[in-house]
Amino acid sequence: MAMHRVLITGAGGGIGRALRETLRGVYPVLLLSDRVTLAPARSGEEVDRTDIADMAQVERMVAGVDGIIHLGGISGENTWERILESNIIGLYNVFEAARRAGVTRIVMATSNHAVGFYKRAQTIDHRVVPRPDSRYGVSKAFSEALASLYADKHGIGFLCTRIGNFGVKPLDSRRLSIWISPRDYTQLVRIGLEHKEIRFEIVYGVSNNQRSWYDNSNAVRLGYRPQDDSEPHAAEILAAEAGQPEDPIAERYQGGPFCAAEYTATTMPD
Ligand code: 15L
């Protein structure tokens, strides 16, 4: 199962731009796609412009591809119409076109927001049922369900990476528990594309954070050995946040402000 030609959707976003560098030369061809214009192709790269909401364009994009890193779509809360177009219809188009084209492996960006309504006091693993904290989180739970269907029914291997927060360093106290560094995410993506026995797996896309809310033993079982930990950034972040007003809903749940936004219930879920 050689990965010769690997497609990155959403290649113009923050994670896509980072993977473009860290995966350069790892696979013979990196096909970089987005609906926005990308920087011109260098050696070993091809650049494509596709709107994943358009099936005909998606079919052209996936022709001749061996593996896909699917990052395309909306990456935060948005209107139902935009989520529907990009994260439901667009996602379906990518998986269905991949099936028709004989793609064998897909690494997919799901999110901590698929399980954002678990409390911070709880440690969760890859087997918990989804508890989305937003329309965006619902679309990510849908993406995991669609991946499961295409794995079971059509034999495509899926690594669903529930990404916490990707960046060179954690941004705030919540992100101390869910941060992932570019090199750790690159390692996880390579496991997803190269591990011989992946059928359908959910893992947390997080570094080796001391403050983690996740039992990421499924990723470890697949060979993931994260190098980074948010802890060296903790003192500075916590000092900067000291004395700031706290939202009780955001503070109680892992999804933080995604849980608090539009919240109208009169009692807090357990
Ligand atoms: C996500 O899923 C988003 O894609 C990202 O932009 C951040 O908001 C992240 O979650 C987070 O929870 O920090």
Side-chain angles (χ1 to χ4, degrees):
M1 197 191 59
M3 287 289 143
H4 181 82
R5 194 176 159 83
V6 170
L7 164 67
I8 304 181
T9 68
I15 303 179
R17 287 197 310 274
L19 291 182
R20 182 174 184 173
E21 300 309 318
T22 58
L23 294 179
R24 189 158 188 228
V26 172
Y27 307 106
V29 181
L30 264 191
L31 172 59
L32 303 152
S33 181
D34 207 301
R35 66 176 171 186
V36 299
T37 306
L38 298 172
R42 302 168 295 185
S43 70
E45 293 179 344
E46 292 173 19
V47 163
D48 166 80
R49 191 164 175 183
T50 287
D51 181 350
I52 59 172
D54 181 330
M55 183 53 132
Q57 288 184 36
V58 176
E59 286 197 306
R60 275 197 296 278
M61 171 181 72
V62 301
V65 158
D66 302 301
I68 300 176
I69 303 164
H70 181 53
L71 308 172
I74 304 280
S75 63
E77 184 59 314
N78 214 303
T79 62
W80 170 242
E81 289 71 22
R82 290 204 66 204
I83 295 280
L84 175 66
E85 184 184 47
S86 297
N87 292 15
I88 306 289
I89 297 171
L91 177 95
Y92 173 80
N93 288 346
V94 172
F95 289 6
E96 176 56 15
R99 180 190 71 78
R100 293 180 200 162
V103 172
T104 55
R105 205 43 88 76
I106 299 180
V107 177
M108 188 188 87
T110 170
S111 168
N112 71 93
H113 298 292
V115 288
F117 259 116
Y118 283 96
K119 287 186 291 190
R120 296 184 182 193
Q122 206 171 338
T123 299
I124 58 172
D125 71 8
H126 58 288
R127 291 170 297 202
V128 295
V129 296
R131 290 190 75 173
D133 57 23
S134 48
R135 291 175 289 279
Y136 165 67
V138 169
S139 76
K140 291 300 178 181
F142 171 81
S143 73
E144 295 173 5
L146 196 69
S148 179
L149 173 68
Y150 274 69
D152 284 342
K153 191 164 275 194
H154 305 301
I156 300 177
F158 278 91
L159 185 71
C160 303
T161 59
R162 279 186 185 155
I163 302 173
N165 189 248
F166 176 98
V168 288
K169 57 182 196 168
L171 299 172
D172 56 25
S173 56
R174 186 177 73 88
R175 268 68 167 254
L176 291 171
S177 300
I178 65 168
W179 174 65
I180 187 163
S181 67
R183 68 173 168 176
D184 284 344
Y185 192 59
T186 302
Q187 185 193 148
L188 209 44
V189 164
R190 290 196 61 177
I191 290 169
L193 290 175
E194 298 167 32
H195 192 291
K196 288 191 172 47
E197 276 154 35
I198 288 180
R199 186 186 61 83
F200 172 79
E201 301 292 349
I202 291 175
V203 295
Y204 289 92
V206 291
S207 284
N208 189 29
N209 304 318
Q210 280 176 47
R211 294 170 191 251
S212 182
W213 296 318
Y214 309 120
D215 167 354
N216 210 9
S217 52
N218 200 35
V220 172
R221 185 183 63 79
L222 294 167
Y224 181 50
R225 301 288 180 270
Q227 310 284 297
D228 295 306
D229 178 354
S230 62
E231 204 52 28
H233 302 281
E236 190 187 342
I237 286 174
L238 296 175
E241 285 183 14
Q244 283 180 10
E246 290 183 347
D247 181 307
I249 303 297
E251 288 304 311
R252 183 175 165 93
Y253 301 105
Q254 297 179 2
F258 284 66
C259 298
E262 304 175 38
Y263 188 90
T264 58
T266 47
T267 54
M268 291 195 222
D270 215 13

